[in-house]
Amino acid sequence: MQKFIKYIITRLFILIIIDITGNFAFASYFPDTVHIEEINIIEKKNPELIGFKYTIIDSVYLAQNTTTNLSELLAISSPVFIKSYGTGNIATSSFRGAGASHTQVLWNGVNINSPMLGQVDFSLIPNSFIDNIILYHGGASDASNNGAIGGSIYFNNKPDWNNKRKVSFIQSVGSYNNYNSFLSFGIGNSKFQSNTRIIYANSKNNYKYKLPSYSENELYERIYAEYIQSGIIQEFYFRINDNNLISFNSWIQKNNNNIPPTANKTSDDINENYNVSQTNKTIRNILSWDNFGEKLTTKYSFAYIYDFLNYTNDDISVNSNSTVNSYTNSVNINYKIRKNLKLKSGITSAYHIVNSTEYNDIKNRSDNALSLSLNGEISNRFKYLLSVKQEYTDKNFSPLIPSIGIKWKPIKKKEFILKSSFYKNYHNPNLNDLYWPNDGYTKGNPDLQHETGYSFETGILISNKEKDFKYNIEFTGYYSEISNWIYWHINNLIWQPDNLKTVERKGIESSTKLSYKLNKILLTFFLNYNLTDAENKEAISPLDNSAGKQLIYVPRHNFNSGFKIDRNEYYLLISDNYYSKRYTSTDNTAYLDDINIVYFKIGKKIKLKNSNFDIQFNIDNLLNIDYQIISGKPMPKRLFFFTIKYSLKN
């Protein structure tokens, strides 16, 4: 088998080299006389990563969920597992069994992961601030997504060059004094666009839940769980000419939320002066210049990000402040060597200054990355991607991080595609892993090594684009092995991180979307299913029983499915999320039961000349089940929401 794989890879590289050298030779003897094509700057597109699995969130589905946050949207409509600590509290992601810090999140091409935690809280990202979302599964090589062992999430803002004037207002009212308000307004023409978006959300969040170890019929109230969220995004786009675009995006947001006690505490156990809360203040600014040429496209961006976090816990006398100032410069160049051969290069340089009351002094981190890739075609049915990335963090070079991807359409007139990719993985520990002081509960480890490994994936894609019947079916299998996996564990009664594990991840991802138009009725069905085996391969000590066991909080099976009916101005959606049991101990002796959550939505659109109304009624957790994603953090039972949207555009 190894000889066969080597033979195939050798032959593939020979074909690619012949293709590359042939194109260079052809270009040197025959000057290109192709006329300049018309350039229409409409939106910022994400690069195609040939051979890699990616998921695009339906823009219609995004538009119908503008009053929720990104964690709720991803949980319902994507194969990503969202680890939620309860409504109004932190929510992180897990791609293919990887950790929260293994997901890299980029807003308009700029990484917004915290250098302290290495992760993003998706509950703090309003869907109303997003125009499009694309998920890249696995560690696709890109200069901007350093350390994406699990995957990457890109979300963008984009201008509407056809807009002259638009206004949109959304108001949602829900159970437990849940209020969400959104206002946006924009003006512009074919040369200039301005768009402003404002959100305000608050909730008492005092929902009922049951404790598994108590009386089956007794309900408890989630107390001290209030939250308030307010924010604004301002976008400016200047189209100097057909070849140059300057944009400025500013995102300012503040979040105040109380952190409720764990579910194993009743009101009798809680001190009357209980106060555990968190305040987040964020400012994100991005200035970009895009230059579009016949052969050469260049994008330069400068970003400044300010993050402030205050954590207060009166129970243990903690009042912690952390401030992060991040500066990022990036240059991305795309050069069309020939019609079927493109060279892409990216350089990213980020510098972070972290001042925390929990650190012994101010910490600095520099993250630099250089990537180079070739996108080519051996024929119009066979495409390939060769890429390599080099990272330089805090004066230390990473090993070269190569990747290769192929995409083959074996049948000319059929939408049947085979694709495959192989890539190395690399991830640095975050600052809390390294520098958290010994406070009697936790401590960091400055001797931590980076995580490294490799991944392989292969899959098929079948689609049909007929007018009345469309379908898109994709299956992907993957395998990954990561060494020096960073793992927090108890040592002498103190939590600390170590490079203790080699983790093997393998699984299957499948997605199906069908749509059928019958007269005035449009029927849509979708199903995402994941089989994830993520296991520790090595015992830490003779007493460690985690070897060969599933990682904690990684469901082996999860799927989300649903169907939607659209008829004229009416629509109805029912979706279902299922997660198999999640282990809460490394030896897999303790676990949370599997859960099945059903969502219901019905709505009507009303058009009046230039005005549009959209009235929605939602029921979350339709079956009214009791469940927890994270142990001790109960989720709400059945919730009701009423939403009205108004928009004016001309």
Side-chain angles (χ1 to χ4, degrees):
M1 178 60 72
Q2 290 182 349
K3 290 183 179 180
F4 176 74
I5 293 174
K6 288 181 180 179
Y7 173 81
I8 294 298
I9 293 176
T10 302
R11 292 296 178 183
L12 177 62
F13 268 100
I14 290 173
L15 287 173
I16 291 172
I17 294 301
I18 291 173
D19 177 58
I20 294 171
T21 55
N23 276 292
F24 272 119
F26 185 85
S28 64
Y29 284 101
F30 296 93
D32 197 332
T33 57
V34 178
H35 294 286
I36 298 176
E37 298 177 357
E38 180 182 357
I39 297 172
N40 187 15
I41 304 173
I42 297 176
E43 62 180 277
K44 303 170 185 178
K45 294 186 178 180
N46 295 292
E48 180 184 8
L49 294 176
I50 295 170
F52 292 88
K53 162 81 173 178
Y54 64 91
T55 301
I56 299 175
I57 302 298
D58 193 316
S59 59
V60 174
Y61 199 82
L62 175 61
Q64 292 179 350
N65 288 273
T66 49
T67 59
T68 61
N69 58 59
L70 187 53
S71 67
E72 297 175 47
L73 178 69
L74 293 177
I76 296 173
S77 62
S78 82
V80 178
F81 176 58
I82 297 297
K83 294 182 285 187
S84 174
Y85 285 72
T87 305
N89 270 240
I90 186 172
T92 60
S93 65
S94 175
F95 274 92
R96 297 179 173 179
S101 64
H102 296 143
T103 299
Q104 300 302 301
V105 182
L106 294 94
W107 171 56
N108 292 323
V110 175
N111 194 306
I112 62 172
N113 286 59
S114 165
M116 294 183 66
L117 297 170
Q119 63 189 41
V120 169
D121 182 356
F122 292 98
S123 72
L124 304 183
I125 301 178
N127 292 334
S128 54
F129 282 4
I130 301 171
D131 289 323
N132 65 343
I133 309 174
I134 184 167
L135 316 177
Y136 291 109
H137 304 240
S141 182
D142 187 300
S144 302
N145 63 347
N146 305 356
I149 286 179
S152 302
I153 298 177
Y154 289 66
F155 64 94
N156 299 319
N157 303 122
K158 61 181 182 180
D160 179 2
W161 294 109
N162 297 317
N163 173 56
K164 295 181 180 179
R165 181 185 62 177
K166 65 178 180 180
V167 177
S168 179
F169 176 73
I170 304 173
Q171 181 62 57
S172 175
V173 179
S175 303
Y176 307 112
N177 297 306
N178 191 308
Y179 300 94
N180 293 277
S181 304
F182 170 69
L183 173 66
S184 73
F185 47 91
I187 57 172
N189 51 39
S190 61
K191 295 292 185 180
F192 168 76
Q193 288 290 323
S194 171
N195 192 28
T196 305
R197 318 179 198 207
I198 303 170
I199 61 106
Y200 181 83
N202 68 294
S203 176
K204 184 73 174 176
N205 206 25
N206 57 337
Y207 52 80
K208 307 291 185 179
Y209 65 90
K210 291 180 181 179
L211 289 172
S213 57
Y214 284 69
S215 171
E216 187 174 312
N217 297 319
E218 190 168 3
L219 284 174
Y220 295 86
E221 182 178 357
R222 197 176 196 231
I223 56 177
Y224 304 117
E226 303 90 340
Y227 67 85
I228 299 175
Q229 182 182 78
S230 58
I232 181 172
I233 277 188
Q234 177 61 55
E235 307 163 52
F236 292 115
Y237 302 94
F238 303 89
R239 188 156 74 174
I240 301 172
N241 52 45
D242 283 345
N243 299 92
N244 290 278
L245 171 67
I246 293 177
S247 58
F248 176 72
N249 302 76
S250 183
W251 176 359
I252 302 173
Q253 189 165 313
K254 181 180 180 181
N255 305 276
N256 297 97
N257 62 287
N258 289 335
I259 301 175
T262 55
N264 57 5
K265 290 186 178 182
T266 65
S267 57
D268 296 333
D269 303 322
I270 300 169
N271 189 303
E272 62 180 7
N273 295 319
Y274 176 88
N275 177 31
V276 182
S277 62
Q278 183 170 295
T279 299
N280 298 81
K281 298 178 183 178
T282 302
I283 301 172
R284 300 182 177 112
N285 295 314
I286 303 175
L287 177 64
S288 298
W289 169 51
D290 292 85
N291 177 260
F292 301 86
E294 176 191 355
K295 285 181 167 294
L296 181 66
T297 299
T298 306
K299 179 182 180 66
Y300 170 74
S301 295
F302 170 74
Y304 167 68
I305 298 177
Y306 167 85
D307 275 316
F308 170 80
L309 170 66
N310 171 260
Y311 173 79
T312 301
N313 189 331
D314 289 348
D315 277 5
I316 55 176
S317 301
V318 170
N319 187 358
S320 173
N321 292 317
S322 300
T323 302
V324 179
N325 288 276
S326 298
Y327 306 85
T328 303
N329 286 279
S330 64
V331 180
N332 290 280
I333 299 172
N334 296 337
Y335 180 67
K336 184 190 290 185
I337 301 171
R338 297 293 300 170
K339 181 180 179 180
N340 60 352
L341 185 63
K342 299 175 184 178
L343 175 68
K344 298 183 179 182
S345 179
I347 302 174
T348 299
S349 178
Y351 187 69
H352 311 282
I353 304 171
V354 180
N355 189 359
S356 173
T357 54
E358 302 303 318
Y359 291 172
N360 296 327
D361 54 15
I362 295 176
K363 302 298 181 183
N364 301 316
R365 164 164 282 190
S366 62
D367 287 317
N368 305 279
L370 169 66
S371 69
L372 188 67
S373 66
L374 277 172
N375 283 35
E377 299 179 9
I378 294 176
S379 70
N380 59 4
R381 291 188 287 149
F382 189 97
K383 298 181 180 181
Y384 63 85
L385 168 68
L386 295 175
S387 68
V388 65
K389 180 168 65 175
Q390 175 76 70
E391 297 180 12
Y392 182 68
T393 301
D394 292 338
K395 300 181 181 181
N396 293 308
F397 281 100
S398 72
L400 286 177
I401 308 171
S403 63
I404 180 172
I406 58 173
K407 180 179 177 181
W408 179 38
K409 185 179 179 182
I411 306 173
K412 186 176 182 179
K413 295 184 178 180
K414 297 291 183 180
E415 291 298 323
F416 179 83
I417 294 172
L418 301 175
K419 56 182 184 177
S420 188
S421 61
F422 175 85
Y423 46 96
K424 287 193 67 175
N425 299 116
Y426 183 90
H427 180 257
N428 282 302
N430 60 62
L431 295 181
N432 279 4
D433 290 336
L434 295 170
Y435 303 121
W436 195 265
N438 188 345
D439 58 9
Y441 302 95
T442 59
K443 71 173 183 178
N445 181 355
D447 297 322
L448 284 175
Q449 301 298 309
H450 58 260
E451 299 168 305
T452 185
Y454 65 92
S455 298
F456 170 79
E457 66 179 71
T458 188
I460 61 172
L461 175 63
I462 307 169
S463 61
N464 178 60
K465 300 179 181 179
E466 293 181 5
K467 183 178 179 180
D468 294 331
F469 180 57
K470 299 179 181 179
Y471 61 79
N472 196 91
I473 303 171
E474 185 171 6
F475 294 92
T476 303
Y478 64 89
Y479 179 86
S480 175
E481 186 173 295
I482 305 296
S483 300
N484 291 332
W485 189 275
I486 297 174
Y487 172 71
W488 282 78
H489 64 108
I490 293 181
N491 183 21
N492 295 326
L493 303 180
I494 295 178
W495 283 92
Q496 69 176 56
D498 275 305
N499 297 112
L500 296 175
K501 293 191 173 188
T502 296
V503 170
E504 180 185 71
R505 297 179 296 137
K506 56 183 182 294
I508 298 172
E509 297 171 330
S510 68
S511 61
T512 301
K513 184 176 181 180
L514 311 172
S515 64
Y516 179 66
K517 189 174 183 181
L518 179 64
N519 296 325
K520 296 181 180 180
I521 299 176
L522 177 63
L523 303 173
T524 305
F525 169 80
F526 67 89
L527 170 65
N528 297 305
Y529 168 74
N530 286 356
L531 169 63
T532 307
D533 282 322
E535 299 178 352
N536 170 35
K537 302 302 293 182
E538 300 175 10
I540 300 169
S541 68
L543 299 178
D544 178 27
N545 295 318
S546 67
K549 303 297 195 303
Q550 184 85 342
L551 298 184
I552 63 172
Y553 292 114
V554 177
R556 183 164 273 112
H557 306 278
N558 76 278
F559 70 79
N560 54 64
S561 63
F563 69 88
K564 185 182 178 186
I565 303 174
D566 292 90
R567 187 184 188 279
N568 295 332
E569 66 273 16
Y570 295 93
Y571 58 90
L572 180 145
L573 171 69
I574 297 178
S575 62
D576 179 31
N577 274 30
Y578 171 82
Y579 304 107
S580 64
K581 61 184 178 183
R582 285 88 57 223
Y583 295 105
T584 58
S585 63
T586 57
D587 62 0
N588 289 182
T589 57
Y591 59 88
L592 296 172
D593 290 328
D594 58 342
I595 54 177
N596 198 60
I597 313 160
V598 178
Y599 300 86
F600 173 86
K601 176 182 296 184
I602 190 170
K604 181 181 181 180
K605 298 177 181 178
I606 303 172
K607 294 184 178 181
L608 300 173
K609 293 184 179 180
N610 295 330
S611 299
N612 293 286
F613 290 89
D614 190 346
I615 301 172
Q616 291 181 9
F617 177 69
N618 297 47
I619 305 177
D620 292 354
N621 192 3
L622 180 65
L623 303 181
N624 203 34
I625 68 169
D626 293 282
Y627 70 102
Q628 299 177 20
I629 302 293
I630 300 296
S631 181
K633 303 296 181 181
M635 301 296 288
K637 293 172 72 69
R638 187 182 294 125
L639 297 169
F640 300 93
F641 293 92
F642 176 77
T643 303
I644 184 167
K645 302 180 181 181
Y646 168 77
S647 61
L648 169 68
K649 184 176 181 181
N650 57 18

